[in-house]
Amino acid sequence: MASSAIFNFVPSYSLSTFSLRNSRTHLSQTPNYYNYKPLLVKASTSLDYSSSSLAGKSPTSTKNNNWLWKYKDNSVNIYYEEHDKGSDEPCKNILMIPTISDVSTVEEWRSVAKDIAGRSGNVNYRTTIVDWPGLGYSDRPKLDYNADVIEKFLVDFINAPDGPVNNSDKDFVVFGGGHAATIAVRAAKKGLVKPTAIASIAPTWAGPLPIVFGRDSSMETRYGFLRGTLRAPAVVTQDIIDSRYALTKRQGARYVPAAFLTGLLDPVKSREEFVQLFAELEGRIPVLVLATAGSPKRSKAEMEALREAKGVSKYVEVPGALLPQEEYPEIVAEQLYRFLQEIHA
């Protein structure tokens, strides 16, 4: 009976995620880490979204490209986009990584990327958005996806000599949503990547099923069974597929969602570990947390745990649920741009 209850939860979650995606609301050389003065804002901040704060934007140029990720015996084509003003002026690089979910795609960051890249100021920005392996427009090979594999990809993409981020002379900032944000923080904590700053947007650490049903031994066994079932083609019916984005129809679309839903992509196992990841960056890298006012209760509780946490330089609450960068791109872009101005002052 318990297995049946868990199984029935999956279509419900997937469809709610799809509904969230479709209910978009659009409102009209490396700095020295140790000289950085941490921001003292550690509470929800009132925001000014007047039209004057969004002035001074220029048209942007978009480049679509692919990068080949070599992982074990696999060669995986990785899709990424670059947005800038299209000029030869020096730029600082921002890497934007999508929230990990069954409908993850670069599209969730595209409006924010163009907004920031088009702004006129003392510093110009090139924004790069990359699709995770197994998601979005990247290849979707049948791998044993887990948090270590996802982290390995992020580290390789950032550090690759032929990658877009490496070309920025290591001067880059990472913006990530959900699990992606926490994986970036984990990689930075280990010293595997060295961004000048990180912004975590609606950061999460637990997959939908573990955060609801827990992680005791009996549940882990059921997750293993469910994971294998979800990876089998027969379960993903045409009716469910047709209700999703076209991206979810691509071959291999079920592999990463199966791992995500059942907790294999969780970068930590507890709230204490989650908070400690951020604490490890204290004095090393400035970190912005954008929490969301409308996030689900359990996810909101994890974000709230970061409100006064060590390592969090600035904590701001914005509207939206788990995809504020897509629901409220202008608000998110404004807050991220303010953060960039503070760290590059």
Side-chain angles (χ1 to χ4, degrees):
M1 192 66 180
S3 295
S4 175
I6 295 173
F7 176 79
N8 288 336
F9 178 81
V10 177
S12 173
Y13 169 76
S14 299
L15 291 177
S16 65
T17 305
F18 173 73
S19 298
L20 175 63
R21 283 262 182 201
N22 279 319
S23 60
R24 304 176 187 177
T25 305
H26 294 286
L27 304 180
S28 310
Q29 206 49 245
T30 306
N32 187 322
Y33 298 145
Y34 299 99
N35 289 335
Y36 172 79
K37 297 180 180 179
L39 303 171
L40 299 179
V41 180
K42 290 213 174 184
S44 298
T45 305
S46 60
L47 310 179
D48 174 15
Y49 305 122
S50 61
S51 59
S52 61
S53 67
L54 302 176
K57 296 180 187 175
S58 303
T60 57
S61 171
T62 299
K63 298 175 184 176
N64 306 321
N65 214 330
N66 286 278
W67 175 75
L68 194 65
W69 182 42
K70 299 282 190 177
Y71 178 70
K72 295 185 176 180
D73 296 328
N74 299 278
S75 294
V76 186
N77 278 308
I78 300 297
Y79 175 81
Y80 70 92
E81 297 179 357
E82 292 178 298
H83 302 271
D84 57 31
K85 291 189 179 74
S87 67
D88 295 328
E89 297 178 6
C91 294
K92 291 186 181 295
N93 205 26
I94 303 169
L95 175 62
M96 298 180 174
I97 44 180
T99 303
I100 296 173
S101 74
D102 51 351
V103 286
S104 174
T105 165
V106 295
E107 293 168 1
E108 76 182 53
W109 276 110
R110 195 172 284 154
S111 293
V112 175
K114 291 181 177 181
D115 184 314
I116 292 177
R119 296 200 180 210
S120 300
N122 295 330
V123 179
N124 293 314
Y125 294 100
R126 175 188 298 109
T127 54
T128 302
I129 324 171
V130 62
D131 266 331
W132 295 101
L135 293 170
Y137 296 99
S138 292
D139 283 354
R140 303 179 177 210
K142 186 178 181 180
L143 303 176
D144 290 327
Y145 293 99
N146 58 35
D148 292 336
V149 172
I150 295 297
E151 180 185 85
K152 170 67 173 168
F153 162 73
L154 181 63
V155 171
D156 289 351
F157 184 78
I158 288 173
N159 295 329
D162 62 342
V165 179
N166 186 274
N167 292 337
S168 65
D169 296 324
K170 302 294 184 180
D171 186 2
F172 69 100
V173 174
V174 175
F175 294 165
H179 270 46
T182 309
I183 287 171
V185 170
R186 190 176 85 157
K189 172 240 177 184
K190 295 177 181 178
L192 300 176
V193 296
K194 297 181 180 180
T196 57
I198 296 175
S200 297
I201 293 79
T204 57
W205 63 267
L209 295 183
I211 203 170
V212 173
F213 297 110
R215 286 184 170 278
D216 62 38
S217 58
S218 65
M219 292 309 302
E220 289 291 358
T221 300
R222 290 167 183 166
Y223 297 154
F225 170 77
L226 178 60
R227 190 178 302 124
T229 306
L230 285 170
R231 288 167 65 98
V235 171
V236 185
T237 66
Q238 194 63 40
D239 287 341
I240 296 175
I241 292 175
D242 288 345
S243 71
R244 309 281 186 89
Y245 278 85
L247 286 175
T248 64
K249 298 179 183 179
R250 298 183 64 189
Q251 184 178 1
R254 62 195 178 274
Y255 300 137
V256 174
F260 171 66
L261 283 167
T262 56
L264 274 186
L265 303 189
D266 294 355
V268 294
K269 301 299 182 185
S270 69
R271 180 183 296 177
E272 290 72 24
E273 288 184 46
F274 178 58
V275 173
Q276 185 59 31
L277 278 184
F278 287 81
E280 294 283 345
L281 299 185
E282 180 80 12
R284 294 169 54 192
I285 302 172
V287 175
L288 166 67
V289 171
L290 286 188
T292 46
S295 55
K297 182 178 178 180
R298 289 181 174 86
S299 298
K300 182 66 176 291
E302 305 308 320
M303 297 177 207
E304 285 287 344
L306 297 175
R307 183 183 289 273
E308 299 292 340
K310 287 182 61 179
V312 176
S313 311
K314 186 176 183 180
Y315 183 102
V316 177
E317 189 172 273
V318 296
L322 296 178
L323 290 170
Q325 63 270 29
E326 185 168 55
E327 296 173 278
Y328 299 95
E330 291 186 356
I331 291 177
V332 170
E334 177 65 14
Q335 282 303 309
L336 293 176
Y337 189 69
R338 291 182 187 183
F339 182 56
L340 292 169
Q341 289 179 307
E342 288 159 356
I343 65 175
H344 291 139

